[in-house]
Amino acid sequence: MRISWNWLRSLIEADLLSPAGAATILTSTGLEVESVEAMEPIPGMLAGVVVGEVLTCVKHPDADRLHVCSVNVGGEAPSQIVCGAPNVAAGQKVLVATAGTTLHPHAGEALTIKKAKIRGIESNGMICAADELGLGNDHAGIMVLDASSVPGTPAAEQLNLKADHVLEIGLTPNRSDALGHWGVARDLVAALTHRTGAKARVLLPSVDAFKQDDEAVAISVEVQDTAAAPRYAGLTLTGLTVGPSPAWLQDRLKSIGLKPINNVVDVTNFVQHELGQPLHAFDADRLKGGRIVVRKAAPGEHLTTLDDKDRTLHPDDLVIADAEHAACIAGVFGGAHSGVSNGTSSIFLESACFDPVTIRRTARRHGLNTDASFRFERGVDPEITVYALKRAALLLKEVAGARISSAITDIAQPWPWVEVELRFAKVNGLCGMAIATDAVVRILEMLDCRIVERGMDGVRVAVPPYRVDVLREADLVEEVLRIHGLDQVPIPERLMVPPVVRASTVAEDVHRNITGHLSARGFREVMTPSLVNGARTLKLGAAKEEALVRLKNPLSAELDVLRPTMLFGLLQSAAHNLARQQDDLRLFEQGRIYAAGKNGLAEETGRMALLITGNAAAASWRGPARKAELADAKAEVELLMERIGLAKSTTFASSEHPLLSATVEARNGKQVVALMGEVKPEVLKAFEVAQPAWYAELIDVELIKLMGRGKTTYGEVAKFPAVRRDLSLLLNSGVEYAALERAAFQAERKLLRAVGLFDVYEGDKLPAGKKSYALSFVLQDTEKTLTDEQVEKAMGRIRQALEKEVGAELRG
C-alpha cells in the first residue's frame, strides 16, 4: 500500500521527523515500510533555476538571431546572457538556469549549464523555454512569467512545485484499520507521542459545514438484507458538473499511483484512500423509480459492469438495485448503466459497511479484486460511514459545484464494541518487561479504545469496531507492545538454552535426516502450494469428489482444492524447469496431503515425495547418457530405507495407482511405507511435461512409527576375513529378488552378511516361464576365521531354503 508523506503530514498536527524517521517508527509498530521513494514532479526540482528580469535586450553583433540580455537574477549585479529565443524582450520576467545548473529537458539527456562564449560574447546562464525545464513540449519561445514575479525566487517556489515521498507499506491482512492515510496517521501519532512525549494529534478534516442545500431530488432507500449490509447510508447531490479535478486533487491521487478520471470519481477515490472507507456514486437520473434497494441477486439475474462484461449473478451476491434491476455488485464493482459519465448532473452517493464474508465470496466468484472489495473483505469502520459521506459531499461541492439535495439516509444495525479483560501482570509477562500501568492505559486510549473499568490489577477495555483482529487479552498486549516499541524489549547478555533429550523419534529428526540424504544424492528441494485445481484433480482420477477438501472461499477457481497428492506440485516445478532447458531433474518435497475424513473434518498426512526425469547419468567419455527408469526411483527408495535403518525389513511388490503405471509399493511387514512408479502419459500432458518421469512417495507417519521400534546398534570392524560364495539359480519368472534375499537371511541369521544379484538371464535357452539369477552371498564370523566346513553347511541351509520357499533350482 502506498502512502503519500505530504498527505499523511496534512492529517497530523506535530513537528514531525523526516519520512525516513517516520518509516522507522511505523515499521516498529507493525506497519512495515518496505521502501521510501522520493517523488519529484520534475527531476531535480529545478534546483539552480530562478526568476529573472530582463533589464536590457540588444541584438548580438555577430549573429542575426541572437540577443545579448542583461538579466536581474536577484544577485548583486545583473548577469549577461546570450539568448536565441525570438520572443525575448526587455521588461520580461523569465526563468533563468544559472551556471552549474543541471536541467532535465522534456526530451533528450540531462544538460548542465556552463559559462561560455557564444560568438565572442560571454554568457552566464540560459533563459529557458518550457521544454528545456521539463515542463512541457513548447519550444516556440522562452517562458514569460507574470509581471508580479520577484527576481531571484527559486523556480520550484514560483511554480508551486512540491516534492513528496511515498512510503510503501507491506500491510498484513489483519490491519484493515490502516488501509487509509488516517489509520496510518493514528499509529504514527500514538507511537510518537508515547515514545518521545511529543504533543501530536490526528487532524480529521472538519465536516461542520455540511448542510442540506435543497430538496431537488429524493432517492428512497430500502435494505432487504441487513446481515449482508449492517449499515447503509446515502444522499443525493445535484447540479454538479463532471470534469477534470483540480491540480491538488490530481496530485494527491498520482502520488499513490492512481490515475485521475474525473472530479466525481476522484473524490470517491480520495476519501477511500484518506479514511479507508469505499464510496460509490450512481447517476441518479438512471436509477429507475427513484429507489435504491439493497438485496440479494435474483436467480439468473444479469449485470453489465463497468468493464463492459455481462455477468450472471449468483443468488448469494449482494447487489445495489433500483426499482427494476441491479445497478452494481455491492462493495465490489459498479454497473455500466448507472455509472457516472460526462453528462451526469445528479448523483446518489453511497457509503456503507458490508459483511466481509459476503463480499469476499462474491469477489472470488466473479474473479474481481478492486480497491473497494479489498477493504470490505477485511472489514471497514462502521462508525465513519456517515462522516465519510459528509466529507465527500463537501469536496464535491468544492470541486464539482454540487448541491446537497437530500438529507442523509442512514440505515444501521447495532454494532457493539467488544469488551476484553486485560491484566497488567499479563502485559508484563507476555512482553518480557515491565510497562507502567498508566502507560498501558494511555496507549490503549490513543488507539481509540475505551476504558470501561479500571482496577488495581487490570482494566476492562472496549475495542473499537474497526479493529476486527483484537478479540483477546493477548491481542491487547500486542497493541500495547507495538506502540511501546518491540525494540524496547530487553535482550539478556546470555541466552540459556538447555539441551533437550528426546526418548522417541520425532518428525523433525526424520525430515532432517532424509533431506540431508537426498541433497547428497543430487536432489533439489522444492516448495509448492498446497492448493491445486479441483477440476483437473477429478479429471485425472487423483481422488473422488467426496474425498476432496474444497475451500469455501477460494482465491481462484484454479486453486480451489487442498492437494490429495504431492505429485502435482512436483510436476509443475518440473514443467517450469523444462521450459528453461533444465532437462535432467531430481526433485523432492516434504509436505502434507489432504483428504475428507469422518464428521466432515479434513485429514492431513505427511509425505516425502521424489520426482526423477531426464538422464540418470550424463554423457561422458566413459559412455553415452543413460535415461532414468523405474529402477532409479526404486533404488532411491531402497537407499532411503537403508539410511533410516529399515532396509532389511522392507519388501517390494507390484501395486496400482491412478496416476502411475508399473507401480511398486514398499511394505514393512503389512504396512505400506512407500510407493513408486512411472507417471502416466495423460498426467504428464496435463502439466505440460514432455518427457517420461518417475515418482516416489514415502509416508512419514508410518516411517516414524517403524523407526521408533528399532534400535541403532554399533560394533567394531570385523578382524576376520569374509568369504563369498555364488549360486546360479533357475527360477519361475514371477519370483522377485526380495523373496530370495528374505529366504536367505531367514535361513542363515548368524553368518550371512550380504546378498547381491550380479547377473540376470531370460531367453530362449531356458524353459518357458523361467529365468536365471546369479546371486552372491557374503559370510563372516566376527569371532574367528570360517572353515570350509562351516561355509558349506551355511550354504547348504541357504540352498534348501531357496528351494523350499521359492522353488529355486541350482544350475550347473
Side-chain angles (χ1 to χ4, degrees):
M1 184 181 70
R2 293 168 66 88
I3 294 293
S4 161
W5 173 248
N6 288 346
W7 195 344
L8 185 66
R9 186 69 182 83
S10 70
L11 295 173
I12 298 175
E13 182 182 62
D15 293 329
L16 274 182
L17 50 164
S18 66
T24 300
I25 291 179
L26 287 172
T27 298
S28 71
T29 68
L31 299 179
E32 182 182 359
V33 179
E34 298 173 342
S35 65
V36 179
E37 179 185 357
M39 300 288 289
E40 296 178 340
I42 296 175
M45 292 295 290
L46 300 181
V49 180
V50 298
V51 174
E53 180 182 7
V54 181
L55 302 177
T56 63
C57 180
V58 298
K59 284 187 172 295
H60 193 290
D62 293 326
D64 293 339
R65 296 186 179 181
L66 297 180
H67 295 82
V68 180
C69 302
S70 174
V71 184
N72 173 17
V73 293
E76 295 181 358
S79 296
Q80 180 173 279
I81 299 175
V82 176
C83 179
N87 64 327
V88 64
Q92 291 175 335
K93 300 292 179 66
V94 294
L95 289 177
V96 178
T98 58
T101 298
T102 298
L103 299 179
H104 299 270
H106 183 75
E109 298 179 354
L111 172 67
T112 300
I113 305 302
K114 300 177 181 179
K115 290 183 178 181
K117 282 191 174 183
I118 301 176
R119 296 289 184 94
I121 302 295
E122 185 177 283
S123 181
N124 297 301
M126 183 172 77
I127 304 175
C128 301
D131 67 331
E132 293 167 335
L133 297 171
L135 296 172
N137 299 317
D138 186 10
H139 193 69
I142 58 171
M143 286 184 65
V144 180
L145 305 176
D146 185 84
S148 62
S149 303
V150 178
T153 303
E157 180 182 337
Q158 175 68 31
L159 300 174
N160 198 29
L161 300 178
K162 293 182 179 179
D164 196 0
H165 288 79
V166 172
L167 284 62
E168 188 73 42
I169 296 180
L171 202 64
T172 52
N174 64 310
R175 293 302 308 276
S176 60
D177 61 295
L179 281 169
H181 285 70
W182 180 33
V184 175
R186 182 169 46 225
D187 269 16
L188 182 56
V189 165
L192 191 64
T193 301
H194 173 72
R195 298 178 193 180
T196 68
K199 293 182 179 180
R201 65 189 183 99
V202 179
L203 297 174
L204 267 182
S206 173
V207 293
D208 292 342
F210 178 88
K211 64 181 181 65
Q212 185 175 343
D213 296 314
D214 56 45
E215 297 181 356
V217 178
I219 301 289
S220 66
V221 177
E222 177 188 1
V223 179
Q224 294 182 357
D225 194 329
T226 55
R231 189 167 192 181
Y232 190 90
L235 59 78
T236 306
L237 296 104
T238 61
L240 56 81
T241 301
V242 177
S245 296
W248 71 265
L249 180 52
Q250 293 196 35
D251 289 344
R252 282 283 195 255
L253 297 179
K254 289 177 182 177
S255 69
I256 57 172
L258 293 183
K259 180 182 178 182
I261 298 174
N262 60 53
N263 47 9
V264 176
V265 175
D266 291 351
V267 163
T268 62
N269 284 333
F270 175 84
V271 173
Q272 176 174 257
H273 287 273
E274 180 179 63
L275 303 176
Q277 171 64 51
L279 303 174
H280 187 70
F282 300 87
D283 189 323
D285 294 330
R286 296 184 179 184
L287 294 175
K288 302 296 184 182
R291 293 183 64 201
I292 283 287
V293 182
V294 184
R295 59 171 173 82
K296 290 293 178 68
E301 189 170 10
H302 285 254
L303 173 66
T304 301
T305 46
L306 288 171
D307 55 359
D308 291 326
K309 289 185 178 180
D310 180 66
R311 300 182 187 273
T312 301
L313 302 177
H314 189 276
D316 289 335
D317 291 340
L318 186 69
V319 299
I320 311 301
D322 58 21
E324 297 181 5
H325 48 64
C328 84
I329 303 175
V332 180
F333 210 24
H337 175 74
S338 62
V340 173
S341 65
N342 289 337
T344 297
S345 60
S346 301
I347 64 170
F348 178 80
L349 188 61
E350 164 197 283
S351 178
C353 178
F354 296 120
D355 172 52
V357 174
T358 300
I359 301 304
R360 186 182 306 116
R361 288 176 177 173
T362 295
R364 298 298 172 268
R365 193 178 292 123
H366 294 283
L368 294 169
N369 184 21
T370 62
D371 280 348
S373 68
F374 186 81
R375 286 160 174 79
F376 282 126
E377 287 173 22
R378 286 154 178 80
V380 299
D381 185 359
E383 297 195 343
I384 65 164
T385 305
V386 171
Y387 172 81
L389 199 60
K390 291 180 177 179
R391 170 75 167 142
L394 290 174
L395 286 171
L396 286 169
K397 291 187 69 172
E398 176 186 342
V399 305
R403 296 191 308 277
I404 300 172
S405 297
S406 75
I408 292 177
T409 298
D410 181 19
I411 302 174
Q413 307 304 310
W415 204 291
W417 289 43
V418 175
E419 293 190 3
V420 181
E421 297 284 346
L422 178 65
R423 294 163 291 171
F424 296 133
K426 193 69 172 180
V427 174
N428 297 338
L430 287 180
C431 292
M433 61 185 298
I435 302 178
T437 57
D438 287 344
V440 171
V441 171
R442 189 165 55 251
I443 288 172
L444 292 173
E445 289 176 336
M446 285 190 292
L447 294 176
D448 292 345
C449 294
R450 297 173 185 166
I451 306 303
V452 178
E453 183 180 346
R454 178 173 179 176
M456 292 293 294
D457 299 326
V459 289
R460 186 159 75 249
V461 182
V463 181
Y466 65 78
R467 287 310 307 268
V468 295
D469 61 320
V470 179
L471 303 171
R472 306 167 302 160
E473 184 179 36
D475 298 330
L476 285 176
V477 174
E478 180 186 358
E479 291 301 291
V480 171
L481 182 57
R482 68 182 186 85
I483 298 301
H484 184 73
L486 293 167
D487 53 350
Q488 299 300 310
V489 178
I491 300 176
E493 293 183 2
R494 291 189 302 168
L495 291 175
M496 304 298 291
V497 182
V500 178
V501 179
R502 290 189 292 254
S504 60
T505 303
V506 296
E508 290 80 1
D509 295 335
V510 176
H511 296 153
R512 191 181 306 112
N513 200 340
I514 294 176
T515 297
H517 169 82
L518 291 173
S519 297
R521 293 285 304 161
F523 282 82
R524 293 181 180 273
E525 185 174 10
V526 300
M527 297 179 68
T528 63
S530 298
L531 298 174
V532 295
N533 186 314
R536 181 165 57 188
T537 301
L538 291 172
K539 182 178 179 181
L540 295 176
K544 295 182 179 179
E545 176 62 46
E546 57 269 22
L548 292 179
V549 181
R550 290 191 175 274
L551 299 188
K552 291 184 178 180
N553 299 302
L555 296 174
S556 164
E558 295 295 314
L559 300 171
D560 59 342
V561 166
L562 287 170
R563 62 186 175 198
T565 174
M566 301 288 290
L567 176 59
F568 291 172
L570 288 172
L571 287 176
Q572 286 177 328
S573 295
H576 178 85
N577 283 275
L578 290 170
R580 290 156 179 80
Q581 290 83 48
Q582 302 297 314
D583 298 331
D584 303 328
L585 301 171
R586 295 165 73 85
L587 307 175
F588 79 95
E589 180 178 12
Q590 187 276 321
R592 295 177 181 272
I593 63 171
Y594 305 84
K598 298 178 181 179
N599 302 321
L601 299 176
E603 296 178 351
E604 51 183 297
T605 53
R607 291 289 191 272
M608 181 69 75
L610 287 66
L611 187 78
I612 301 173
T613 185
N615 291 326
S620 69
W621 62 271
R622 301 173 67 181
R626 181 179 70 81
K627 294 290 185 182
E629 54 190 19
L630 179 59
D632 293 299
K634 183 172 181 288
E636 294 300 338
V637 173
E638 289 175 333
L639 286 171
L640 265 174
M641 294 300 171
E642 183 178 345
R643 180 73 177 83
I644 59 180
L646 299 176
K648 291 184 178 180
S649 56
T650 301
T651 60
F652 294 87
S654 298
S655 182
E656 294 184 357
H657 191 277
L659 305 176
L660 306 176
S661 58
T663 307
V664 176
E665 66 180 20
R667 289 179 174 269
N668 198 286
K670 296 182 179 181
Q671 185 61 53
V672 176
V673 295
L675 60 86
M676 64 221 74
E678 182 177 1
V679 183
K680 290 181 177 180
E682 59 268 27
V683 179
L684 294 173
K685 183 178 180 181
F687 288 89
E688 300 182 351
V689 175
Q691 62 186 42
W694 286 265
Y695 175 73
E697 185 175 285
L698 290 88
I699 305 172
D700 286 6
V701 64
E702 300 303 335
L703 292 176
I704 293 169
K705 288 179 183 177
L706 293 168
M707 290 175 65
R709 296 174 188 171
K711 291 184 178 180
T712 301
T713 60
Y714 63 92
E716 63 178 332
V717 177
K719 299 177 181 179
F720 303 96
V723 176
R724 170 174 164 166
R725 292 289 186 268
D726 297 340
L727 293 179
S728 181
L729 303 174
L730 184 65
L731 305 163
N732 292 328
S733 297
V735 175
E736 296 180 345
Y737 167 75
L740 300 172
E741 185 181 46
R742 183 168 57 252
F745 275 109
Q746 289 175 347
E748 182 53 59
R749 299 177 184 274
K750 181 179 179 182
L751 300 180
L752 185 60
R753 296 288 176 264
V755 180
L757 175 64
F758 63 88
D759 188 49
V760 177
Y761 176 73
E762 292 180 280
D764 55 7
K765 295 181 180 180
L766 296 178
K770 296 289 184 178
K771 63 182 177 181
S772 174
Y773 274 10
L775 302 179
S776 64
F777 301 88
V778 177
L779 305 171
Q780 189 177 40
D781 193 325
T782 59
E783 298 178 351
K784 61 182 181 294
T785 301
L786 291 173
T787 64
D788 289 343
E789 182 180 357
Q790 289 175 310
V791 172
E792 290 305 320
K793 286 183 178 180
M795 290 303 299
R797 289 191 290 272
I798 292 173
R799 284 194 298 271
Q800 290 177 3
L802 293 175
E803 291 171 0
K804 181 179 179 181
E805 297 292 333
V806 298
E809 300 177 30
L810 189 66
R811 297 187 68 193

